[in-house]
Amino acid sequence: ASQMPGDYVLVLGDSLVAMAPIPPSVCGLPILNAGIGGARASTLLPIMEDLAIIGRIKFIIIAVGVNNAVPTYWDKRAFTVAYSELLAKASSMSRVAVATVAPVDFSMDVGKLRNPEARDTINKLIISTAGKFGAGVIRLDNLPTEQPLTIDGVHLTEEAKEIWLSRVMGAIVGAVGCP
């Protein structure tokens, strides 16, 4: 982040972000893909705090939550606190949009490691927390399901990545005000 030339867009999240074909820039602004495999809301908070020191973020997208639905990590109160702190820090730095958790195929290997009720609760908490901080919401929980969306239950197919990317990029373009 400290090497970004001037203002930039930050996309912070888990492996779905890390694996997304996010372009290097949009509307003349560089995009920093800060996706980290296995990230949960609590693990992204120190990163957000470090980025606050550097500053210059024009717009932030936070896309995290599917790893919080792993039964070992699932704690509604802990997620609520960590996610609220994450949004509070991000909102103090820039305009923010949050993404809901994309559909999970709970019958596949990696999907089986997630709790369906936790995923649904997380999406509700993401939306309600966004409202408290005036953040936009990118709905990824309602991706079309005519074809399989994941390769393992969580990670998106190439076609689903394109839908994910179009929604995320649409939010960025709308926020930074370019055609």
Side-chain angles (χ1 to χ4, degrees):
S2 64
Q3 297 174 8
M4 298 300 273
D7 291 344
Y8 64 97
V9 174
L10 173 68
V11 183
L12 182 65
D14 52 32
S15 58
L16 294 183
V17 172
M19 297 169 69
I22 297 172
S25 66
V26 64
C27 307
L29 287 171
I31 300 175
L32 176 59
N33 180 335
I36 301 167
R40 299 182 318 273
S42 59
T43 58
L44 294 179
L45 187 56
I47 295 165
M48 185 61 69
E49 290 171 350
D50 287 346
L51 291 172
I53 296 167
I54 298 166
R56 303 185 340 264
I57 303 172
K58 179 98 173 169
F59 185 60
I60 301 169
I61 292 182
I62 298 172
V64 67
V66 72
N67 295 315
N68 289 92
V70 173
T72 306
Y73 300 129
W74 176 233
D75 179 323
K76 181 179 178 180
R77 184 183 172 287
F79 177 81
T80 301
V81 169
Y83 198 78
S84 292
E85 289 177 6
L86 187 61
L87 260 63
K89 179 55 79 177
S91 297
S92 73
M93 299 165 51
S94 182
R95 292 180 56 204
V96 179
V98 298
T100 56
V101 177
V104 173
D105 183 339
F106 298 103
S107 70
M108 297 180 78
D109 291 345
V110 178
K112 287 178 183 176
L113 302 175
R114 304 303 187 272
N115 175 329
E117 293 80 24
R119 180 198 169 268
D120 294 343
T121 300
I122 287 167
N123 276 333
K124 289 174 187 168
L125 290 169
I126 287 171
I127 293 167
S128 66
T129 306
K132 292 175 188 171
F133 290 96
V137 177
I138 304 166
R139 296 298 300 258
L140 300 175
D141 55 316
N142 61 0
L143 296 179
T145 58
E146 293 85 40
Q147 299 193 10
L149 292 172
T150 69
I151 57 173
D152 58 7
V154 171
H155 299 98
L156 301 175
T157 64
E158 291 304 314
E159 295 81 10
K161 282 182 191 177
E162 290 302 319
I163 298 167
W164 184 99
L165 183 62
S166 70
R167 292 185 184 187
V168 168
M169 293 305 294
I172 294 170
V173 168
V176 300
C178 63

Coordinates of all heavy atoms in Angstrom, one line a residue, residues 27-118:
C27 N -10.7 3.7 -13.7 CA -10.9 5.1 -13.8 C -9.7 5.9 -13.4 O -9.7 7.0 -12.7 CB -12.1 5.5 -12.9 SG -13.6 4.6 -13.2
G28 N -8.5 5.4 -13.8 CA -7.2 6.0 -13.5 C -6.7 5.8 -12.1 O -5.7 6.4 -11.7
L29 N -7.5 5.1 -11.2 CA -7.0 4.8 -9.9 C -6.5 3.4 -9.8 O -7.2 2.4 -10.2 CB -8.2 4.9 -8.9 CG -8.7 6.3 -8.6 CD1 -10.0 6.2 -7.8 CD2 -7.6 7.1 -7.8
P30 N -5.3 3.2 -9.2 CA -4.9 1.8 -8.9 C -5.8 1.1 -8.0 O -6.4 1.7 -7.1 CB -3.5 2.0 -8.3 CG -3.1 3.4 -8.4 CD -4.4 4.2 -8.7
I31 N -5.9 -0.2 -8.1 CA -6.6 -1.1 -7.2 C -5.7 -2.0 -6.5 O -4.9 -2.7 -7.1 CB -7.7 -1.9 -7.9 CG1 -8.7 -1.0 -8.7 CG2 -8.4 -2.8 -6.9 CD1 -9.7 -1.8 -9.5
L32 N -5.7 -2.0 -5.2 CA -4.9 -2.9 -4.4 C -5.8 -4.1 -4.0 O -6.8 -3.9 -3.2 CB -4.4 -2.2 -3.1 CG -3.6 -3.1 -2.2 CD1 -2.4 -3.7 -2.8 CD2 -3.1 -2.3 -1.0
N33 N -5.5 -5.3 -4.5 CA -6.2 -6.5 -4.1 C -5.5 -7.0 -2.9 O -4.4 -7.5 -2.9 CB -6.1 -7.5 -5.3 CG -6.8 -8.8 -4.9 OD1 -7.0 -9.2 -3.8 ND2 -7.2 -9.6 -5.9
A34 N -6.2 -6.8 -1.7 CA -5.7 -7.3 -0.4 C -6.4 -8.5 0.1 O -6.9 -8.5 1.2 CB -5.7 -6.1 0.6
G35 N -6.6 -9.5 -0.8 CA -7.2 -10.7 -0.4 C -6.2 -11.6 0.2 O -5.1 -11.8 -0.3
I36 N -6.7 -12.3 1.3 CA -5.8 -13.1 2.1 C -6.6 -14.4 2.3 O -7.6 -14.4 3.0 CB -5.4 -12.5 3.4 CG1 -4.7 -11.2 3.1 CG2 -4.5 -13.5 4.2 CD1 -4.5 -10.3 4.4
G37 N -6.0 -15.5 1.8 CA -6.7 -16.8 2.0 C -6.9 -17.1 3.5 O -6.0 -16.9 4.3
G38 N -8.1 -17.6 3.8 CA -8.4 -17.9 5.2 C -8.8 -16.8 6.1 O -9.1 -17.0 7.3
A39 N -8.8 -15.5 5.6 CA -9.1 -14.4 6.4 C -10.5 -14.4 7.0 O -11.4 -14.9 6.3 CB -8.9 -13.1 5.6
R40 N -10.5 -13.9 8.2 CA -11.8 -13.7 8.9 C -11.9 -12.2 9.2 O -10.9 -11.5 9.1 CB -11.9 -14.6 10.1 CG -11.8 -16.1 9.8 CD -11.9 -17.0 11.0 NE -11.2 -16.6 12.2 CZ -10.0 -16.8 12.5 NH1 -9.2 -17.5 11.6 NH2 -9.4 -16.4 13.6
A41 N -13.0 -11.8 9.7 CA -13.2 -10.4 10.1 C -12.1 -9.9 11.1 O -11.5 -8.9 10.9 CB -14.6 -10.1 10.6
S42 N -11.8 -10.7 12.1 CA -10.9 -10.4 13.1 C -9.4 -10.3 12.6 O -8.6 -9.5 13.1 CB -11.0 -11.4 14.3 OG -10.7 -12.7 13.8
T43 N -9.1 -11.2 11.6 CA -7.7 -11.1 11.1 C -7.5 -10.0 10.1 O -6.3 -9.6 9.9 CB -7.4 -12.5 10.3 OG1 -8.3 -12.7 9.3 CG2 -7.4 -13.6 11.3
L44 N -8.6 -9.4 9.6 CA -8.4 -8.2 8.7 C -8.3 -6.9 9.5 O -7.7 -5.9 9.0 CB -9.5 -8.1 7.7 CG -9.6 -9.2 6.7 CD1 -10.8 -9.0 5.8 CD2 -8.4 -9.4 5.9
L45 N -8.7 -6.9 10.7 CA -8.6 -5.6 11.5 C -7.2 -5.0 11.7 O -7.0 -3.9 11.4 CB -9.3 -5.8 12.9 CG -9.5 -4.6 13.7 CD1 -10.3 -3.5 12.9 CD2 -10.2 -4.9 15.0
P46 N -6.2 -5.8 12.0 CA -4.9 -5.3 12.1 C -4.4 -4.7 10.8 O -3.6 -3.7 10.8 CB -4.0 -6.4 12.6 CG -4.9 -7.4 13.2 CD -6.3 -7.2 12.5
I47 N -4.8 -5.4 9.7 CA -4.3 -4.9 8.4 C -5.0 -3.5 8.1 O -4.3 -2.6 7.7 CB -4.7 -5.9 7.3 CG1 -3.9 -7.2 7.5 CG2 -4.5 -5.3 5.9 CD1 -4.4 -8.4 6.8
M48 N -6.2 -3.4 8.4 CA -6.9 -2.1 8.2 C -6.3 -1.0 9.1 O -6.1 0.1 8.7 CB -8.4 -2.3 8.6 CG -9.2 -1.0 8.3 SD -9.2 -0.5 6.6 CE -10.2 -1.8 5.8
E49 N -5.9 -1.4 10.3 CA -5.2 -0.4 11.2 C -3.9 0.0 10.6 O -3.6 1.2 10.6 CB -5.1 -1.0 12.6 CG -6.4 -1.1 13.3 CD -6.3 -1.9 14.6 OE1 -5.3 -2.5 14.9 OE2 -7.3 -1.8 15.3
D50 N -3.1 -0.9 10.0 CA -1.9 -0.5 9.4 C -2.1 0.4 8.2 O -1.4 1.3 7.9 CB -1.1 -1.8 9.0 CG -0.5 -2.5 10.1 OD1 -0.4 -1.9 11.2 OD2 -0.1 -3.7 9.9
L51 N -3.2 0.0 7.4 CA -3.4 0.8 6.2 C -3.9 2.3 6.6 O -3.7 3.2 5.8 CB -4.5 0.2 5.3 CG -4.0 -1.1 4.7 CD1 -5.2 -1.9 4.0 CD2 -2.9 -0.9 3.7
A52 N -4.5 2.4 7.7 CA -4.9 3.7 8.2 C -3.8 4.7 8.3 O -3.9 5.9 8.1 CB -5.7 3.6 9.5
I53 N -2.6 4.2 8.7 CA -1.4 5.0 8.9 C -1.0 5.5 7.5 O -0.5 6.7 7.4 CB -0.3 4.2 9.5 CG1 -0.7 3.8 10.9 CG2 1.0 4.9 9.5 CD1 0.1 2.7 11.6
I54 N -1.1 4.7 6.5 CA -0.6 5.1 5.1 C -1.6 6.0 4.5 O -1.2 7.0 3.8 CB -0.4 3.8 4.3 CG1 0.7 2.9 4.9 CG2 0.0 4.2 2.8 CD1 0.7 1.5 4.3
G55 N -2.9 5.8 4.7 CA -3.9 6.7 4.1 C -4.0 6.6 2.6 O -3.7 5.6 2.0
R56 N -4.6 7.6 2.0 CA -4.8 7.8 0.6 C -5.7 6.8 -0.1 O -5.7 6.6 -1.3 CB -3.4 7.8 -0.1 CG -2.4 8.7 0.3 CD -1.1 8.8 -0.5 NE -0.9 7.6 -1.3 CZ -0.1 6.6 -0.9 NH1 0.5 6.6 0.2 NH2 0.1 5.6 -1.7
I57 N -6.6 6.2 0.7 CA -7.5 5.2 0.1 C -8.8 6.0 -0.3 O -9.4 6.6 0.5 CB -7.9 4.1 1.1 CG1 -6.6 3.4 1.6 CG2 -8.9 3.1 0.5 CD1 -6.9 2.4 2.7
K58 N -9.1 5.9 -1.6 CA -10.3 6.6 -2.2 C -11.6 5.9 -1.9 O -12.6 6.5 -1.7 CB -10.1 6.8 -3.7 CG -11.1 7.5 -4.4 CD -10.8 8.9 -4.6 CE -11.9 9.5 -5.5 NZ -11.8 10.9 -5.5
F59 N -11.5 4.6 -1.9 CA -12.7 3.7 -1.7 C -12.3 2.4 -1.2 O -11.2 1.8 -1.6 CB -13.5 3.6 -3.0 CG -14.8 2.9 -2.9 CD1 -15.8 3.3 -2.1 CD2 -15.0 1.7 -3.6 CE1 -17.0 2.7 -2.0 CE2 -16.2 1.1 -3.6 CZ -17.2 1.5 -2.7
I60 N -13.0 1.8 -0.3 CA -12.7 0.5 0.3 C -13.9 -0.5 0.1 O -15.0 -0.1 0.4 CB -12.5 0.6 1.8 CG1 -11.3 1.5 2.1 CG2 -12.2 -0.8 2.4 CD1 -11.1 1.9 3.6
I61 N -13.6 -1.7 -0.4 CA -14.6 -2.8 -0.4 C -14.0 -3.8 0.6 O -12.9 -4.2 0.5 CB -14.7 -3.4 -1.8 CG1 -15.4 -2.3 -2.7 CG2 -15.5 -4.7 -1.7 CD1 -15.7 -2.8 -4.1
I62 N -14.9 -4.3 1.5 CA -14.6 -5.4 2.4 C -15.5 -6.6 2.0 O -16.7 -6.5 2.0 CB -14.9 -4.9 3.8 CG1 -14.0 -3.7 4.2 CG2 -14.7 -6.1 4.8 CD1 -14.3 -3.1 5.5
A63 N -14.8 -7.7 1.7 CA -15.5 -8.9 1.3 C -15.0 -10.1 2.2 O -14.0 -10.7 1.8 CB -15.3 -9.2 -0.2
V64 N -15.6 -10.3 3.3 CA -15.1 -11.3 4.2 C -16.3 -11.9 4.9 O -17.3 -11.3 5.1 CB -14.1 -10.7 5.2 CG1 -14.7 -9.7 6.2 CG2 -13.3 -11.8 6.0
G65 N -16.2 -13.1 5.4 CA -17.2 -13.7 6.2 C -17.4 -15.2 6.0 O -17.8 -15.9 7.0
V66 N -17.0 -15.8 4.9 CA -17.2 -17.2 4.7 C -16.4 -18.0 5.6 O -16.8 -19.1 6.1 CB -17.0 -17.6 3.2 CG1 -15.5 -17.6 2.8 CG2 -17.6 -19.0 2.9
N67 N -15.2 -17.6 6.0 CA -14.3 -18.3 6.9 C -14.8 -18.2 8.3 O -14.5 -19.1 9.2 CB -12.9 -17.9 6.8 CG -12.3 -18.2 5.4 OD1 -12.5 -19.3 4.9 ND2 -11.7 -17.3 4.8
N68 N -15.6 -17.2 8.6 CA -16.2 -17.0 9.9 C -17.3 -18.1 10.1 O -17.7 -18.4 11.3 CB -16.8 -15.7 10.2 CG -15.7 -14.6 10.3 OD1 -15.3 -14.0 9.3 ND2 -15.2 -14.4 11.5
A69 N -17.8 -18.7 9.0 CA -18.8 -19.7 9.1 C -18.3 -21.1 9.4 O -19.1 -22.0 9.5 CB -19.7 -19.7 7.8
V70 N -17.0 -21.2 9.5 CA -16.4 -22.5 9.9 C -16.8 -22.7 11.3 O -16.6 -21.9 12.2 CB -14.8 -22.5 9.7 CG1 -14.2 -23.8 10.2 CG2 -14.5 -22.3 8.2
P71 N -17.3 -23.9 11.7 CA -17.8 -24.1 13.0 C -16.8 -23.8 14.1 O -17.1 -23.3 15.2 CB -18.2 -25.6 13.1 CG -18.7 -25.8 11.6 CD -17.7 -25.0 10.8
T72 N -15.5 -24.1 13.9 CA -14.4 -23.8 14.8 C -14.3 -22.3 15.2 O -14.0 -22.0 16.3 CB -13.1 -24.3 14.3 OG1 -13.2 -25.7 13.9 CG2 -12.0 -24.1 15.3
Y73 N -14.6 -21.5 14.2 CA -14.5 -20.1 14.3 C -15.8 -19.4 14.6 O -15.8 -18.2 15.0 CB -13.9 -19.4 13.1 CG -12.5 -19.9 12.7 CD1 -12.3 -20.4 11.4 CD2 -11.5 -20.0 13.6 CE1 -11.0 -20.8 11.1 CE2 -10.3 -20.5 13.3 CZ -10.0 -20.9 12.0 OH -8.8 -21.3 11.7
W74 N -16.9 -20.0 14.4 CA -18.2 -19.3 14.4 C -18.6 -18.9 15.8 O -18.7 -19.7 16.7 CB -19.3 -20.2 13.8 CG -20.7 -19.5 13.9 CD1 -21.8 -20.1 14.5 CD2 -21.0 -18.2 13.6 NE1 -22.8 -19.2 14.5 CE2 -22.4 -18.0 13.9 CE3 -20.4 -17.1 13.0 CZ2 -23.1 -16.8 13.7 CZ3 -21.0 -15.9 12.7 CH2 -22.4 -15.8 13.1
D75 N -18.7 -17.6 16.0 CA -19.1 -17.0 17.3 C -19.8 -15.7 16.9 O -19.2 -14.8 16.4 CB -17.9 -16.8 18.2 CG -18.3 -16.1 19.5 OD1 -19.2 -15.3 19.5 OD2 -17.7 -16.5 20.5
K76 N -21.1 -15.7 17.0 CA -21.9 -14.6 16.5 C -21.4 -13.3 17.2 O -21.2 -12.3 16.5 CB -23.4 -14.8 16.8 CG -24.3 -13.7 16.3 CD -25.7 -13.9 16.5 CE -26.6 -12.8 16.1 NZ -28.0 -13.0 16.3
R77 N -21.3 -13.3 18.4 CA -20.8 -12.1 19.1 C -19.5 -11.6 18.7 O -19.2 -10.5 18.4 CB -20.8 -12.3 20.7 CG -20.5 -11.0 21.4 CD -20.5 -11.3 23.0 NE -20.0 -10.2 23.7 CZ -18.7 -9.8 23.7 NH1 -17.8 -10.4 23.0 NH2 -18.3 -8.7 24.4
A78 N -18.5 -12.6 18.6 CA -17.1 -12.2 18.2 C -17.2 -11.7 16.7 O -16.4 -10.7 16.5 CB -16.2 -13.4 18.3
F79 N -17.9 -12.3 15.8 CA -18.0 -11.7 14.5 C -18.6 -10.3 14.5 O -18.1 -9.4 13.8 CB -18.9 -12.6 13.6 CG -19.0 -12.1 12.2 CD1 -18.0 -12.2 11.2 CD2 -20.1 -11.3 11.8 CE1 -18.1 -11.7 10.0 CE2 -20.3 -10.8 10.6 CZ -19.2 -11.0 9.6
T80 N -19.7 -10.1 15.2 CA -20.3 -8.8 15.3 C -19.4 -7.8 15.7 O -19.3 -6.7 15.2 CB -21.6 -8.9 16.2 OG1 -22.5 -9.9 15.7 CG2 -22.3 -7.6 16.2
V81 N -18.6 -8.0 16.8 CA -17.6 -7.1 17.3 C -16.5 -6.8 16.3 O -16.2 -5.7 16.0 CB -17.1 -7.6 18.7 CG1 -15.9 -6.7 19.1 CG2 -18.2 -7.6 19.7
A82 N -15.9 -7.9 15.8 CA -14.8 -7.7 14.9 C -15.2 -7.0 13.6 O -14.5 -6.1 13.1 CB -14.2 -9.0 14.5
Y83 N -16.4 -7.4 13.1 CA -16.9 -6.7 11.8 C -17.2 -5.3 12.1 O -16.9 -4.4 11.2 CB -18.1 -7.5 11.3 CG -18.3 -7.2 9.8 CD1 -17.5 -7.8 8.8 CD2 -19.3 -6.4 9.4 CE1 -17.8 -7.6 7.5 CE2 -19.6 -6.1 8.1 CZ -18.8 -6.7 7.1 OH -19.0 -6.5 5.8
S84 N -17.8 -5.0 13.2 CA -18.1 -3.6 13.5 C -16.9 -2.7 13.6 O -16.8 -1.6 13.2 CB -18.9 -3.5 14.8 OG -20.2 -4.0 14.6
E85 N -15.8 -3.3 14.3 CA -14.6 -2.6 14.4 C -13.9 -2.4 13.1 O -13.3 -1.3 12.8 CB -13.6 -3.3 15.4 CG -14.1 -3.3 16.8 CD -13.2 -4.1 17.7 OE1 -12.1 -4.6 17.3 OE2 -13.5 -4.2 18.9
L86 N -14.0 -3.4 12.2 CA -13.4 -3.3 10.9 C -14.1 -2.2 10.1 O -13.4 -1.3 9.5 CB -13.6 -4.7 10.2 CG -12.9 -4.8 8.8 CD1 -11.4 -4.7 8.9 CD2 -13.3 -6.2 8.3
L87 N -15.4 -2.1 10.1 CA -16.2 -1.1 9.4 C -16.0 0.3 10.0 O -15.9 1.3 9.3 CB -17.6 -1.4 9.3 CG -18.1 -2.0 8.0 CD1 -17.4 -3.3 7.7 CD2 -19.5 -2.1 7.9
A88 N -15.9 0.3 11.3 CA -15.6 1.6 12.0 C -14.3 2.2 11.5 O -14.2 3.4 11.2 CB -15.6 1.5 13.5
K89 N -13.2 1.4 11.5 CA -11.9 1.8 11.1 C -12.0 2.2 9.6 O -11.5 3.3 9.2 CB -10.9 0.8 11.3 CG -9.5 1.1 10.9 CD -9.0 2.4 11.5 CE -8.5 2.2 12.9 NZ -7.9 3.5 13.4
A90 N -12.5 1.4 8.7 CA -12.6 1.7 7.3 C -13.4 2.9 7.0 O -13.0 3.8 6.2 CB -13.2 0.5 6.6
S91 N -14.5 3.1 7.7 CA -15.4 4.3 7.5 C -14.7 5.6 8.0 O -15.0 6.6 7.5 CB -16.7 4.1 8.3 OG -17.4 3.0 7.8
S92 N -13.8 5.5 8.9 CA -13.1 6.7 9.3 C -12.0 7.1 8.3 O -11.5 8.2 8.4 CB -12.4 6.4 10.7 OG -11.3 5.6 10.6
M93 N -11.7 6.2 7.4 CA -10.6 6.4 6.4 C -11.2 6.8 5.0 O -10.5 7.5 4.3 CB -9.8 5.2 6.2 CG -9.1 4.7 7.5 SD -8.5 3.0 7.4 CE -7.6 3.0 5.9
S94 N -12.3 6.3 4.7 CA -12.8 6.4 3.3 C -14.3 6.0 3.2 O -14.9 5.6 4.1 CB -12.0 5.5 2.4 OG -12.3 5.6 1.0
R95 N -14.8 6.2 2.0 CA -16.1 5.6 1.7 C -15.9 4.1 1.6 O -14.9 3.6 1.2 CB -16.7 6.1 0.3 CG -17.0 7.6 0.4 CD -17.5 8.2 -0.9 NE -18.7 7.4 -1.3 CZ -19.1 7.3 -2.6 NH1 -18.4 8.0 -3.5 NH2 -20.1 6.6 -2.9
V96 N -17.0 3.4 2.0 CA -16.9 1.9 2.1 C -18.1 1.2 1.5 O -19.2 1.7 1.6 CB -16.8 1.5 3.6 CG1 -16.7 0.0 3.8 CG2 -15.6 2.2 4.3
A97 N -17.9 0.1 0.9 CA -18.9 -0.8 0.6 C -18.5 -2.2 1.1 O -17.3 -2.5 1.1 CB -19.1 -0.9 -1.0
V98 N -19.5 -3.0 1.5 CA -19.2 -4.3 2.0 C -19.9 -5.3 1.1 O -20.9 -5.0 0.4 CB -19.7 -4.5 3.4 CG1 -19.0 -3.6 4.3 CG2 -21.2 -4.3 3.6
A99 N -19.4 -6.5 1.0 CA -20.0 -7.6 0.2 C -20.5 -8.7 1.1 O -19.8 -9.1 2.0 CB -18.9 -8.1 -0.8
T100 N -21.7 -9.2 0.7 CA -22.2 -10.3 1.4 C -21.5 -11.5 1.0 O -20.7 -11.5 0.0 CB -23.7 -10.5 1.2 OG1 -24.0 -10.6 -0.2 CG2 -24.5 -9.3 1.8
V101 N -21.6 -12.6 1.7 CA -20.9 -13.9 1.4 C -21.6 -14.6 0.2 O -22.9 -14.7 0.2 CB -20.9 -14.8 2.6 CG1 -20.2 -16.1 2.3 CG2 -20.2 -14.1 3.8
A102 N -20.9 -14.9 -0.8 CA -21.4 -15.6 -1.9 C -22.0 -17.0 -1.5 O -21.6 -17.5 -0.5 CB -20.3 -15.8 -3.0
P103 N -22.9 -17.5 -2.4 CA -23.4 -18.8 -2.1 C -22.4 -19.9 -1.8 O -21.3 -19.9 -2.4 CB -24.3 -19.2 -3.3 CG -24.6 -17.9 -3.9 CD -23.4 -17.0 -3.6
V104 N -22.7 -20.8 -0.9 CA -21.8 -21.9 -0.6 C -22.6 -23.2 -0.9 O -23.8 -23.3 -0.6 CB -21.5 -21.9 1.0 CG1 -20.7 -23.2 1.4 CG2 -20.7 -20.6 1.3
D105 N -21.9 -24.1 -1.6 CA -22.4 -25.4 -1.8 C -22.0 -26.3 -0.7 O -20.9 -26.8 -0.6 CB -22.0 -26.0 -3.2 CG -22.6 -27.3 -3.5 OD1 -23.1 -28.0 -2.6 OD2 -22.6 -27.7 -4.7
F106 N -22.9 -26.6 0.2 CA -22.6 -27.3 1.5 C -22.5 -28.8 1.2 O -22.1 -29.5 2.2 CB -23.7 -27.0 2.5 CG -23.8 -25.6 2.9 CD1 -24.8 -24.8 2.4 CD2 -22.8 -25.0 3.7 CE1 -24.8 -23.4 2.8 CE2 -22.8 -23.7 4.1 CZ -23.8 -22.9 3.6
S107 N -22.7 -29.3 0.0 CA -22.5 -30.7 -0.3 C -21.1 -31.0 -0.8 O -20.7 -32.2 -0.9 CB -23.5 -31.1 -1.4 OG -23.2 -30.6 -2.6
M108 N -20.3 -30.0 -1.1 CA -18.9 -30.2 -1.6 C -17.9 -30.1 -0.5 O -18.2 -29.6 0.6 CB -18.6 -29.2 -2.7 CG -19.6 -29.3 -3.9 SD -19.2 -28.1 -5.2 CE -17.8 -28.9 -6.0
D109 N -16.7 -30.6 -0.8 CA -15.7 -30.8 0.3 C -15.4 -29.5 1.1 O -15.5 -29.6 2.4 CB -14.3 -31.2 -0.4 CG -14.4 -32.6 -0.9 OD1 -15.3 -33.4 -0.5 OD2 -13.5 -33.0 -1.7
V110 N -15.1 -28.4 0.5 CA -14.8 -27.2 1.3 C -16.1 -26.6 1.9 O -16.1 -26.1 3.0 CB -14.0 -26.2 0.5 CG1 -13.7 -24.9 1.3 CG2 -12.7 -26.8 0.0
G111 N -17.2 -26.7 1.1 CA -18.5 -26.2 1.6 C -18.9 -27.0 2.9 O -19.6 -26.4 3.7
K112 N -18.6 -28.3 2.9 CA -19.0 -29.0 4.1 C -18.4 -28.5 5.4 O -18.9 -28.8 6.5 CB -18.6 -30.5 3.9 CG -19.5 -31.3 2.9 CD -18.9 -32.7 2.8 CE -19.7 -33.4 1.7 NZ -19.2 -34.8 1.5
L113 N -17.3 -27.8 5.3 CA -16.6 -27.2 6.4 C -17.3 -25.9 6.9 O -16.7 -25.3 7.8 CB -15.2 -27.0 6.1 CG -14.4 -28.2 5.6 CD1 -13.0 -27.8 5.2 CD2 -14.3 -29.3 6.7
R114 N -18.4 -25.5 6.3 CA -19.1 -24.3 6.7 C -20.4 -24.6 7.3 O -21.1 -25.6 7.0 CB -19.3 -23.4 5.5 CG -18.0 -23.0 4.7 CD -17.0 -22.3 5.6 NE -15.9 -21.8 4.9 CZ -14.8 -22.5 4.6 NH1 -14.7 -23.7 4.9 NH2 -13.7 -21.9 4.0
N115 N -20.9 -23.8 8.2 CA -22.2 -23.9 8.9 C -23.2 -23.1 8.1 O -23.1 -21.9 8.1 CB -22.0 -23.4 10.3 CG -23.3 -23.4 11.1 OD1 -24.4 -23.2 10.5 ND2 -23.2 -23.6 12.4
P116 N -24.2 -23.7 7.5 CA -25.2 -23.0 6.7 C -25.9 -21.9 7.5 O -26.1 -20.8 7.0 CB -26.2 -24.0 6.3 CG -25.6 -25.3 6.4 CD -24.5 -25.2 7.5
E117 N -26.3 -22.1 8.8 CA -27.0 -21.1 9.6 C -26.0 -20.0 9.9 O -26.5 -18.8 9.9 CB -27.5 -21.7 10.9 CG -28.6 -22.8 10.7 CD -28.1 -24.1 10.2 OE1 -27.0 -24.5 10.5 OE2 -28.9 -24.9 9.6
A118 N -24.8 -20.3 10.1 CA -23.8 -19.2 10.4 C -23.6 -18.3 9.1 O -23.6 -17.1 9.3 CB -22.4 -19.8 10.8

